[in-house]
Amino acid sequence: MNYIDNYFYNLIEEFKTKDIDFLYKNMVYKFSQIPIVTQQSFEKFFKQFNYWGELDLKTYNFDIFYQKAKVFKEHYNDFVWLYTHLQDFQSKFLLFAILNNYYNFDFVNLDKATEKVFKHYFDLNIMPQCENEVLVDVGSYTGDSCIDFINSYKKDSYKKIYCYEITQEVLQTSKNNLKNYDNIIYKNNAVTNQSGKCFLEQNQHFSGNKTSNSGSVELQSVTLDDDIKEEITMIKMDIEGGEKNAIEGCKNHIKNQSPKLLISVYHNNTDIFEIPKQIYEINDNYNFYLRYYGGKLYATEIVLICTKK
């Protein structure tokens, strides 16, 4: 056992042996010790992106910490499963840093674990080369990930790129940003586990837009298994909590073609272990890595990278 293992398993032991109320109260106490300006930054962020629970300083509503405490207590074995399936110590240290950030508001190790060398999603230690890729960018936003991919691997690294985005004006921005690149197909569709209709749920920030079962803006939903018949070699997903459904909708591609997977795993409290387990059940011939591209206060922008063994 090395020091990273020791850090991680000591934390897991606390999750295992303490009850939910103890874990919750520890989080509330540790949160109370950080500067009030920082607390207010947390509150503002959680109200804008309401994925993990509620936080309201005026009413002493710390629901978000209780939801985390429940996950720590009820799923500590799932965190162990993920830890044992991660392929490098950068990933293992990151998992510890994420959990310790959530539980003890550890900002130091989270900053140490942040990827500062490579572009978001495209770690050259994990994927040193890409050739003739058919890349599917689910949640292409402004085309920033496509540009990062091309800058990391050059223009001749892909045969085709599919860009899926649910917001028309954001998709138009993507088209404008990628106008100098060939063989890019733009799709104004939601990607999920069944083809049909859904609706746009708008956030005050475009990056938080997601799909819903009701609303005023109707969308056409597709599955990647139905929508793309050619072989896919790489899939990137960042769709505000819709990743598990989208993975279900492309399980044939994942099972039969083992494309590289670059999946955001932070949009709810259980994605970080549920998504790798979901992928493992579809195809157990993957290596798993975690990388972090977020801020220094609260662990978001966590990416699961899966490569064929």
Side-chain angles (χ1 to χ4, degrees):
M1 181 175 288
N2 57 62
Y3 81 98
I4 299 173
D5 295 335
N6 192 53
Y7 285 169
F8 175 79
Y9 284 108
N10 282 344
L11 192 58
I12 291 298
E13 185 66 16
E14 185 155 348
F15 296 163
K16 180 180 179 180
T17 57
K18 304 298 184 182
D19 61 26
I20 292 174
D21 192 54
F22 178 94
L23 301 176
Y24 166 69
K25 288 180 178 178
N26 176 78
M27 295 172 73
V28 173
Y29 172 74
K30 292 293 180 63
F31 182 74
S32 73
Q33 301 305 297
I34 65 178
I36 186 62
V37 173
T38 306
Q39 294 180 34
Q40 290 168 346
S41 294
F42 273 88
E43 180 183 43
K44 180 179 178 181
F45 179 73
F46 293 143
K47 285 183 177 179
Q48 182 177 359
F49 297 99
N50 186 20
Y51 299 129
W52 311 283
E54 297 178 353
L55 175 64
D56 191 303
L57 299 177
K58 290 183 179 179
T59 62
Y60 299 98
N61 180 355
F62 301 109
D63 169 69
I64 188 168
F65 303 146
Y66 187 79
Q67 298 304 322
K68 291 288 190 188
K70 282 188 63 179
V71 171
F72 294 154
K73 182 63 182 178
E74 295 172 0
H75 295 282
Y76 64 84
N77 277 329
D78 291 312
F79 290 115
V80 172
W81 181 93
L82 176 58
Y83 189 84
T84 60
H85 282 79
L86 293 173
Q87 293 299 305
D88 65 359
F89 283 106
Q90 183 174 342
S91 300
K92 291 173 183 284
F93 180 74
L94 172 57
L95 181 56
F96 159 73
I98 290 167
L99 295 179
N100 209 42
N101 171 255
Y102 292 155
Y103 184 58
N104 286 314
F105 296 91
D106 172 11
F107 308 133
V108 174
N109 283 307
L110 185 64
D111 184 51
K112 288 180 180 178
T114 304
E115 175 54 56
K116 299 180 174 72
V117 177
F118 302 117
K119 299 290 187 181
H120 198 143
Y121 300 105
F122 306 111
D123 189 306
L124 299 184
N125 282 325
I126 301 172
M127 302 181 299
Q129 295 181 340
C130 286
E131 297 178 356
N132 297 316
E133 302 287 349
V134 176
L135 166 61
V136 180
D137 188 350
V138 183
S140 61
Y141 194 43
T142 60
D144 52 337
S145 297
C146 294
I147 292 171
D148 284 346
F149 168 79
I150 293 168
N151 287 339
S152 296
Y153 299 107
K154 304 305 177 186
K155 285 187 177 181
D156 60 358
S157 58
Y158 72 94
K159 290 195 302 184
K160 190 180 296 182
I161 297 176
Y162 291 86
C163 290
Y164 287 85
E165 178 56 49
I166 59 175
T167 311
Q168 287 188 359
E169 60 185 297
V170 177
L171 188 63
Q172 185 58 53
T173 301
S174 183
K175 291 179 180 179
N176 294 339
N177 290 337
L178 296 169
K179 63 184 178 182
N180 293 325
Y181 302 106
D182 298 325
N183 300 320
I184 299 181
I185 298 170
Y186 301 95
K187 298 269 193 172
N188 182 210
N189 296 112
V191 176
T192 183
N193 59 347
Q194 59 183 357
S195 298
K197 293 180 181 179
C198 61
F199 297 89
L200 174 65
E201 181 179 321
Q202 293 181 309
N203 188 279
Q204 57 185 302
H205 192 280
F206 281 130
S207 65
N209 287 344
K210 58 184 179 180
T211 58
S212 176
N213 292 325
S214 62
S216 59
V217 181
E218 187 176 291
L219 298 169
Q220 181 67 36
S221 64
V222 298
T223 71
L224 293 185
D225 281 342
D226 289 340
D227 207 44
I228 301 178
K229 297 305 182 183
E230 66 181 307
E231 181 179 356
I232 297 171
T233 65
M234 181 182 291
I235 302 172
K236 169 253 169 181
M237 287 185 186
D238 184 356
I239 47 175
E240 310 308 306
E243 289 83 5
K244 284 183 284 190
N245 283 340
I247 290 167
E248 176 68 19
C250 64
K251 62 183 179 182
N252 290 331
H253 282 294
I254 292 173
K255 180 179 180 180
N256 299 323
Q257 298 160 4
S258 300
K260 305 174 190 72
L261 303 175
L262 318 169
I263 313 294
S264 293
V265 290
Y266 62 91
H267 289 116
N268 66 48
N269 289 319
T270 56
D271 275 355
I272 194 168
F273 56 82
E274 286 184 343
I275 288 176
K277 282 195 159 188
Q278 178 187 16
I279 293 167
Y280 186 83
E281 289 175 2
I282 297 170
N283 183 344
D284 62 5
N285 195 35
Y286 274 114
N287 290 319
F288 294 122
Y289 303 85
L290 287 179
R291 291 296 185 264
Y292 179 62
Y293 307 92
K296 296 180 180 181
L297 292 182
Y298 188 79
T300 60
E301 301 300 336
I302 306 162
V303 173
L304 175 73
I305 302 175
C306 309
T307 61
K308 185 178 179 180
K309 291 181 180 178

